[in-house]
Amino acid sequence: MIFTELVLHNFGIYRGRHVVDLRPQSVEKPILLFGGLNGGGKTTFLDAMKLALYGKLAECSNRKNLPYDAFLESAINRYSPPDEGAALELEFVASRAGAETCFRIKRYWRKASKSVTESIEVLEDGALSPVLSDHWALHVDEFIPQDIAGLFFFDGEKIESLADKRTSASIIRTGIYSLLGLSII
């Protein structure tokens, strides 16, 4: 699975539309690093990727104990026009049935009266897939199981905890159990 693009629209500190190319420079350099000052949007960027993939099951840094609707409402950029709402798009390439397939998840929401309405569309090789769109939460684990997403999406603080002998064993154990399907038991 290779992430190719992330689009943020009025999400967190990102006002307006921002398109980020995530394709690695080469096969020899497959890791992307993002740097910036505190408050520059690095963690918001990671949260956007997790939210695009997992929706209400995403473990976002600033969600705390908020209900999902309240979290989505709080994630809309406060300086954006109220009728625009917010949106995330995440595109990635994965092998499916032996062939490279391009997937694009489009998740968008806006405040409507006293509630938040959210929609999701999933495109497979550029065509809208009603089945994937309606049941994305069931299919996302084919690509990166939510239980081990923390091993793929991490910031500086996570690297620090992985380096700590006392906590790293637990994190790695959780990842291995998820990969083997033992987390279900």
Side-chain angles (χ1 to χ4, degrees):
M1 173 180 194
I2 297 174
F3 294 110
T4 54
E5 185 177 84
L6 177 66
V7 178
L8 304 102
H9 182 78
N10 293 334
F11 181 71
I13 67 165
Y14 296 96
R15 182 179 178 201
R17 184 175 169 86
H18 302 268
V19 180
V20 182
D21 184 0
L22 299 173
R23 286 181 274 270
Q25 286 182 332
S26 68
V27 176
E28 293 82 32
K29 297 180 179 181
I31 297 174
L32 294 174
L33 296 175
F34 290 87
L37 298 173
N38 289 342
K42 301 177 301 293
T43 302
T44 302
F45 186 89
L46 283 174
D47 285 347
M49 293 182 75
K50 292 186 275 189
L51 183 59
L53 281 170
Y54 301 109
K56 67 175 71 174
L57 298 177
E59 293 181 12
C60 295
S61 63
N62 58 353
R63 183 171 175 186
K64 300 177 182 110
N65 293 326
L66 286 175
Y68 186 60
D69 287 355
F71 170 68
L72 288 180
E73 184 179 345
S74 73
I76 299 171
N77 181 278
R78 63 179 167 216
Y79 300 111
S80 64
D83 60 323
E84 278 190 26
L88 298 169
E89 295 180 30
L90 182 61
E91 182 181 87
F92 63 91
V93 177
S95 181
R96 190 168 202 202
E100 291 288 306
T101 304
C102 180
F103 295 91
R104 179 174 284 268
I105 306 154
K106 296 181 175 185
R107 192 177 293 273
Y108 42 96
W109 63 95
R110 68 176 36 130
K111 185 166 172 55
S113 66
K114 294 183 180 183
S115 65
V116 173
T117 59
E118 179 190 30
S119 298
I120 182 171
E121 293 178 352
V122 179
L123 287 77
E124 186 174 356
D125 288 331
L128 179 64
S129 171
V131 172
L132 288 176
S133 297
D134 292 342
H135 305 286
W136 179 248
L138 300 174
H139 293 279
V140 68
D141 277 351
E142 293 175 27
F143 305 105
I144 299 179
Q146 198 253 339
D147 291 346
I148 62 169
L151 295 173
F152 296 93
F153 302 105
F154 49 84
D155 56 14
E157 289 81 16
K158 185 71 165 192
I159 292 171
E160 185 179 6
S161 70
L162 285 171
D164 183 354
K165 289 181 183 179
R166 294 171 292 179
T167 58
S168 62
S170 173
I171 294 168
I172 293 169
R173 184 182 318 108
T174 301
I176 291 171
Y177 282 10
S178 292
L179 285 172
L180 297 174
L182 299 174
S183 62
I184 297 169
I185 299 173

